Amino acid sequence: MEKGKMLLVSLGQGAGNIVDGLLSRNSRYNGLFLNSSLFDVKPLKNADMSKNVYVYPGTDGSGRDRNKSKEMIKDNINPIGTLLSKYPLTEVVVVFTTMAGGTGSGAIKTFIQIAKKVLPNAKVNVVAILPSLKEDELAFKNTIECWNDINNIMDLINDVKFVDNNKRNTYKEINNEVIESLDLAYNIIGIHADGSIDNKDSFRINTAEGSGLVLKLYDGLKDAKTAVDLAIQNSVFVQPDTYECDYLGINLKIDGYDPYEVSKLFEVYRSTYITYNNKNNIVVLGGCETPTESIKLIKMALEDKNKRKLSRNRKRSVIIDLDTDSEESKEEIDGLNDLFEDNYEF
């Protein structure tokens, strides 16, 4: 894909870190940062308040409240539309959001509707970050509601990639892996005597309708299947229920794994594109079925927390019997009663 015709949009803080990282890797990307809090934007290296940042006026965060976020973006439809209209040559809008929060989670549906209205010829991709199973009840609830919002407007979306926060120990590790993988996927092009992938091929792979997946193959494993199996195991992206896709892009190191052996591991219904390079082993699937197992786990985690909450017998006051003289306690109370009677007669 042509980087200068891509617009990377972050909704909220967590998404902003990823877009900032992608802009640092390749300055040819266009980037926009939308947020409800100025403090979330200030640390980002590539966020310029005069050029590519929009903070909802008069707001100071959403407090993880999706309904508040929905109201905020609806109140700012016109200025956001005006901002998007400054990118008329955009071919692909990639929208990033965390699903468990408020600002991005609540705004994504309306933002995509605005984007398709202002840039009707542009493809819209989504990168949505699922919470880990260690998160709290609100995170799970927000995630499921965000999932439903995305699926309700799937006819406006081309490629969706879901990020699995359970696959690394820290948010920083997740972000770095997502940034590197996406940049490699968007740069899957290559020219070689035995096969080439051009910008149009990359565009077709990366904007296929359905769920997308990026796999990085490690060097030195015994065969292509072992390499692919390990890449699937280590991928930070949510895996599809079946490895069937419309388009498959393979860009491998010269004299490394056999790309035709790699291609046999996937069911491809339209086209497979193969090329070679000197640095990385990248496999990109486009047009897979929407994965469901991860969201089912989120739903199960939410149900488990709700059950435990319902079974909770919370005590606010507990009287401890010290086996003391109860008459003394009674006399103290009587004295207080007399005090109130003396001073507060009506």
Side-chain angles (χ1 to χ4, degrees), residues 194-313:
D194 294 329
S196 297
I197 299 177
D198 60 23
N199 276 323
K200 290 183 178 179
D201 300 328
S202 174
F203 180 88
R204 194 173 291 115
I205 298 164
N206 282 289
T207 63
E209 292 183 355
S211 177
L213 180 63
V214 185
L215 299 173
K216 293 195 309 176
L217 276 58
Y218 298 94
D219 292 326
L221 299 175
K222 64 178 182 178
D223 54 38
K225 185 179 186 308
T226 303
V228 169
D229 287 345
L230 184 60
I232 288 172
Q233 179 182 337
N234 289 330
S235 174
V236 295
F237 295 100
V238 174
Q239 300 300 300
D241 299 336
T242 60
Y243 290 92
E244 301 175 348
C245 58
D246 287 329
Y247 299 101
L248 180 66
I250 302 172
N251 192 341
L252 303 179
K253 287 185 180 180
I254 299 170
D255 298 326
Y257 300 113
D258 183 344
Y260 297 98
E261 291 300 316
V262 173
S263 67
K264 291 177 183 178
L265 301 172
F266 306 96
E267 184 73 35
V268 183
Y269 290 103
R270 293 194 176 181
S271 297
T272 298
Y273 303 89
I274 294 173
T275 192
Y276 302 86
N277 71 92
N278 295 314
K279 294 182 179 180
N280 302 289
N281 296 307
I282 299 299
V283 177
V284 182
L285 284 70
C288 302
E289 289 187 0
T290 300
T292 58
E293 289 304 314
S294 290
I295 197 65
K296 287 178 181 177
L297 291 175
I298 296 292
K299 187 173 184 293
M300 289 172 60
L302 176 61
E303 290 172 348
D304 180 63
K305 285 187 177 291
N306 285 336
K307 287 179 182 177
R308 283 189 284 160
K309 184 170 67 174
L310 289 173
S311 64
R312 179 186 182 195
N313 184 17

Side-chain angles (χ1 to χ4, degrees), residues 29-42:
Y29 294 121
N30 297 301
L32 284 180
F33 300 89
L34 272 67
N35 213 304
S36 58
S37 173
L38 180 60
F39 292 102
D40 290 346
V41 178
K42 280 187 174 181

Side-chain angles (χ1 to χ4, degrees), residues 77-89:
I77 287 176
N78 287 335
I80 291 173
T82 300
L83 187 61
L84 288 172
S85 68
K86 296 179 180 179
Y87 300 88
L89 300 179

